[in-house]
Amino acid sequence: EKGDFEHYMLKEIYEQPKAIEDSFRGRMNASGGWIKMGGITEYSARIANAERFVITACGTSWHSGLLGEYIIEDLARVPVEVEYASEFRYRNPIVRESDFVIAISQSGETADTLAAIELAKERQALVYGICNVIGSSIARATHAGSYTHAGPEIGVASTKAFSTQVSILILIALQIAQSKGAIPQSKLRQILYELESVPNKIREVLKLDDQIREIAAVYKDAKNFLYLGRGYNYPVAMEGALKLKEISYIHAEGYPAAEMKHGPIALIDEEMPVVFLATNVSAYEKIVSNIQEVKARKGKVIAVVNEGDTQIKAMADHCIEVPQVDEVISPLVTIVPLQLLAYHIAIMRGCNVDQPRNLAKSVTVE
Ligand code: F6R
């Protein structure tokens, strides 16, 4: 079943272009300029009148939820809050009938996420599921939803589920933005065209596997890793750090790059690898100065940059060049080298990447 791949995780990383294509199938068309997510259409009036969106999830799915906040607020101009399901269910949150709650779960069986959904339903909110497993408990408990269609994810570390969740969130944001008139049709079409071509861009990134393996060999014995990004790359930094810690058992933290100087900068010395997500066009100069701050303290910099970058290349110890895409879409591209980096480091440390210690594929107990 693993085919040519030694591990499910690697297979699933490589399946991402196809998984994303499958998640788009029948749901959008760039030349036609349309998006059609059935569940969103079905509840369009209630969604259009929603005062705010609440996204709830755990783990990697929470990271795609955080991206969802950035994407939906940016494109559709609706206020969004993102909640760990385990906190949401127990903290007596304010949930109203006018809220639109989106629950994200690969397995559709995560106990805390399911409980958060029940709470939202009790308070009369409309609840939407983004699940991978067809017919799962969360898919059944929600009023409507969209399947990610990533196909079975066997590796415990979530990869293609994450990228398809993000793809679905982009489509949901675009459909709502379009129906609200919050986005010019030309911008919408541009993003749709870029989405259609993103699977091929990811195929380009997968060709960097050997280069990433070489970088992994340099840092496989590190005790700590820091991942930094701004804007859309901040949730990606957290997701990259989670991938590394769960399969390689190296301590890693993802942080907004500008928060570094409020604490984590104290950790930086010549032993500390810092992975920068530096593909942002809007905040480029700010990231350059964050990298300078790390280099001034002799930290090791691994930077994910856009193809053709020169400025960061001159400063970083290693640069991974990825194709440039619209920032809204960029997480689909920038997460891939981080998944591969975590995978190779874990393999070099002799870890069981598909079944890391202490972890289960679906967390059905709280
Ligand atoms: C990380 C990972 C976990 C899950 C989390 C939620 O790689 O797999 O953090 O993302 O347990 O699981 P789902 O999405 O099934 O609700």
Side-chain angles (χ1 to χ4, degrees):
E1 241 201 278
K2 280 177 277 187
D4 294 337
F5 294 95
E6 227 179 303
H7 300 95
Y8 284 108
M9 182 183 177
L10 191 62
K11 172 175 179 262
E12 290 159 4
I13 291 171
Y14 273 78
E15 278 173 349
Q16 288 178 111
K18 174 162 184 302
I20 293 172
E21 280 162 5
D22 290 344
S23 77
F24 290 157
R25 184 154 301 120
R27 288 170 164 166
M28 63 101 152
N29 183 284
S31 56
W34 57 262
I35 309 118
K36 194 169 186 308
M37 304 298 283
I40 300 292
T41 309
E42 188 185 344
Y43 285 95
S44 58
R46 251 190 102 174
I47 295 169
N49 291 323
E51 279 177 62
R52 61 162 193 172
F53 292 7
V54 177
I55 302 180
T56 189
C58 304
T60 286
S61 298
W62 185 87
H63 293 151
S64 53
L66 190 57
L67 280 168
E69 173 180 10
Y70 283 45
I71 296 163
I72 293 167
E73 291 204 351
D74 191 1
L75 298 175
R77 310 304 299 158
V78 189
V80 182
E81 282 174 44
V82 188
E83 298 261 4
Y84 286 112
S86 56
E87 286 298 313
F88 186 71
R89 65 180 289 198
Y90 286 123
R91 69 171 184 81
N92 193 20
I94 296 171
V95 186
R96 287 163 299 205
E97 207 181 330
S98 58
D99 287 331
F100 179 48
V101 175
I102 302 176
I104 307 176
S105 175
Q106 186 288 127
S107 63
E109 302 297 342
T110 301
D112 282 322
T113 310
L114 197 52
I117 291 166
E118 296 304 337
L119 181 145
K121 281 179 16 187
E122 276 163 28
R123 312 236 175 132
Q124 317 300 323
L126 175 66
V127 186
Y128 200 89
I130 299 177
C131 296
N132 192 42
V133 177
I134 314 262
S136 55
S137 303
I138 291 174
R140 284 181 282 119
T142 43
H143 297 112
S146 307
Y147 285 114
T148 44
H149 295 310
E153 192 181 63
I154 312 287
V156 163
S158 192
T159 53
K160 63 178 182 172
F162 172 79
S163 41
T164 52
Q165 288 163 353
V166 174
S167 305
I168 296 294
L169 286 161
I170 296 171
L171 291 184
I172 289 175
L174 286 172
Q175 180 165 339
I176 296 169
Q178 185 178 40
S179 61
K180 284 182 62 182
I183 186 170
Q185 189 66 15
S186 57
K187 174 76 184 165
L188 179 114
R189 247 173 225 261
Q190 177 228 319
I191 297 178
L192 289 178
Y193 274 116
E194 290 211 28
L195 276 176
E196 278 185 351
S197 66
V198 90
N200 280 335
K201 304 245 166 89
I202 295 171
R203 290 182 178 102
E204 293 299 311
V205 179
L206 292 168
K207 292 182 190 156
L208 306 175
D209 202 359
D210 288 339
Q211 187 209 347
I212 294 166
R213 194 190 301 115
E214 284 165 22
I215 299 171
V218 178
Y219 298 104
K220 68 178 178 25
D221 297 318
K223 299 266 181 300
N224 298 284
F225 260 80
L226 204 53
Y227 287 72
L228 301 175
R230 306 178 78 110
Y232 286 105
N233 275 327
Y234 157 50
V236 176
M238 286 204 287
E239 173 59 7
L242 179 62
K243 287 294 84 99
L244 186 71
K245 70 185 120 181
E246 65 184 333
I247 61 169
S248 76
Y249 319 138
I250 296 175
H251 170 247
E253 286 192 68
Y255 247 84
E259 275 291 308
M260 180 181 66
K261 63 172 78 65
H262 300 284
I265 197 164
L267 297 167
I268 293 172
D269 61 14
E270 58 283 348
E271 306 275 285
M272 178 66 117
V274 184
V275 178
F276 271 96
L277 285 310
T279 56
N280 311 49
V281 176
S282 50
Y284 186 79
E285 291 304 328
K286 297 198 183 301
I287 293 173
V288 167
S289 57
N290 295 140
I291 293 175
Q292 278 162 345
E293 286 155 10
V294 171
K295 285 315 298 173
R297 289 159 186 84
K298 303 196 165 54
K300 300 288 185 288
V301 171
I302 303 159
V304 178
V305 297
N306 287 325
E307 271 168 7
D309 181 281
T310 52
Q311 206 178 339
I312 292 175
K313 249 182 148 173
M315 299 156 52
D317 297 270
H318 312 269
C319 267
I320 300 167
E321 288 189 60
V322 300
Q324 186 174 338
V325 295
D326 191 285
E327 283 190 39
V328 179
I329 299 172
S330 62
L332 296 173
V333 172
T334 54
I335 190 57
V336 178
L338 307 193
Q339 295 165 339
L340 288 169
L341 183 67
Y343 172 81
H344 289 301
I345 289 177
I347 294 292
M348 288 170 192
R349 290 165 70 95
C351 300
N352 183 344
V353 293
D354 282 339
Q355 283 184 303
R357 67 187 184 199
N358 310 337
L359 293 173
K361 184 65 186 161
S362 68
V363 184
T364 53
V365 291
E366 61 174 290

